[in-house]
Amino acid sequence: MNRMLLMLALRTKFTLKNVQKYESSEKYNLGVGAYRTNDGDPFILESVREAERRLVTDTKLDHEYLPIDGLKDFTENATALIFGRQHPIFINSKDMLNKWRIEIDTCLNICCQNKTSKITHSRQVKREVEIMFNRIAEMRQLLYKHMKAKNVSWDHITSQVGLFAFTGLTEKQVAFVKERYHIYMKHDGRINVCALTTNNLEYIANAFHQALMECS
């Protein structure tokens, strides 16, 4: 294994072990790479629940290995979902996917029996995604406001997008908030925005502020 990758793996492992062993209500793991609700719980998409139900009840599944280009129905419908059925990439998906070697990391398979069901499920997926998007945006704004109230300009938090944010904290500052406040994150200061909640934001923002003041 590449030495850098090994070091990252070890650091992550030790961080998770530290989070688990420390017994206190005031400990927060900002390094977990998954979406969380404002209560800190996993958010399972209804589309995922439906897929699980279908897998359990589908008697046609034989658990055979798939061909190298994957499950045809899945890849075709995933491509249609992302690009639209009239897009050239869908019409010529096999040739173009092979040519460009496109990898789709996360796809929601919402294949349905009829058009009405498809529209309903599409709207449902869109609504769930909007819930997650809005929560991420809200947490970024709240963290920015908490830091601004302490006369700290963290515009980079709101200018970034996505589940993760680079706080700009140094490795020394990361170690500071871990030791004094039991807030755990990657050594480079990257955090999962959804590990922030309306209940812990003030505590975390205060820890970040103290790290900036004492470990500049």
Side-chain angles (χ1 to χ4, degrees):
M1 180 185 289
N2 179 286
R3 184 176 180 182
M4 182 176 292
L5 292 176
L6 177 61
M7 290 302 297
L8 288 174
L10 290 174
R11 288 181 189 228
T12 301
K13 181 179 179 182
F14 293 150
T15 295
L16 293 176
K17 286 177 66 176
N18 287 337
V19 173
Q20 293 166 354
K21 75 179 182 181
Y22 184 76
E23 297 181 0
S24 171
S25 59
E26 292 290 357
K27 67 173 182 178
Y28 301 104
N29 181 4
L30 307 187
V32 62
Y35 180 86
R36 291 287 186 268
T37 67
N38 192 57
D39 294 322
D41 299 323
F43 181 69
I44 310 301
L45 293 169
E46 181 55 35
S47 55
V48 174
R49 296 289 193 199
E50 177 62 22
E52 292 173 338
R53 287 191 288 267
R54 293 188 184 192
L55 287 172
V56 170
T57 58
D58 192 344
T59 59
K60 296 180 180 179
L61 293 177
D62 52 20
H63 298 280
E64 285 283 358
Y65 285 109
L66 294 174
I68 195 168
D69 54 351
L71 184 63
K72 183 178 179 181
D73 287 343
F74 177 83
T75 55
E76 285 187 355
N77 283 280
T79 304
L81 173 64
I82 295 171
F83 297 105
R85 291 189 178 275
Q86 300 306 314
H87 196 286
I89 198 170
F90 177 75
I91 298 172
N92 304 301
S93 59
K94 185 175 182 180
D95 293 337
M96 298 186 77
L97 287 175
N98 287 336
K99 180 179 178 181
W100 295 345
R101 299 177 64 84
I102 295 176
E103 294 182 3
I104 302 175
D105 296 325
T106 306
C107 295
L108 300 175
N109 183 4
I110 55 171
C111 307
C112 302
Q113 294 288 331
N114 55 66
K115 188 174 181 180
T116 302
S117 296
K118 182 176 180 180
I119 293 173
T120 301
H121 282 269
S122 296
R123 289 174 177 170
Q124 185 180 70
V125 171
K126 182 179 179 181
R127 182 169 63 250
E128 290 172 339
V129 171
E130 285 179 344
I131 290 172
M132 294 188 289
F133 177 85
N134 291 336
R135 168 161 155 64
I136 291 171
E138 179 187 13
M139 290 302 103
R140 285 183 179 278
Q141 285 290 337
L142 287 177
L143 178 57
Y144 166 77
K145 289 180 180 179
H146 275 284
M147 298 304 289
K148 186 177 181 180
K150 302 176 186 298
N151 296 317
V152 176
S153 177
W154 266 27
D155 293 346
H156 57 283
I157 293 297
T158 52
S159 64
Q160 298 172 25
V161 295
L163 184 65
F164 298 103
F166 284 94
T167 60
L169 294 178
T170 65
E171 192 165 350
K172 182 179 179 181
Q173 291 165 340
V174 169
F176 174 86
V177 297
K178 181 185 76 172
E179 295 301 325
R180 181 174 294 189
Y181 294 93
H182 304 287
I183 296 172
Y184 303 87
M185 69 187 80
K186 287 178 64 65
H187 68 282
D188 60 3
R190 192 194 76 172
I191 65 171
N192 177 357
V193 178
C194 284
L196 304 175
T197 72
T198 52
N199 296 319
N200 67 24
L201 252 170
E202 184 174 356
Y203 179 86
I204 291 172
N206 181 61
F208 288 171
H209 178 251
Q210 289 302 316
L212 293 171
M213 295 299 101
E214 299 188 33
C215 304
S216 56

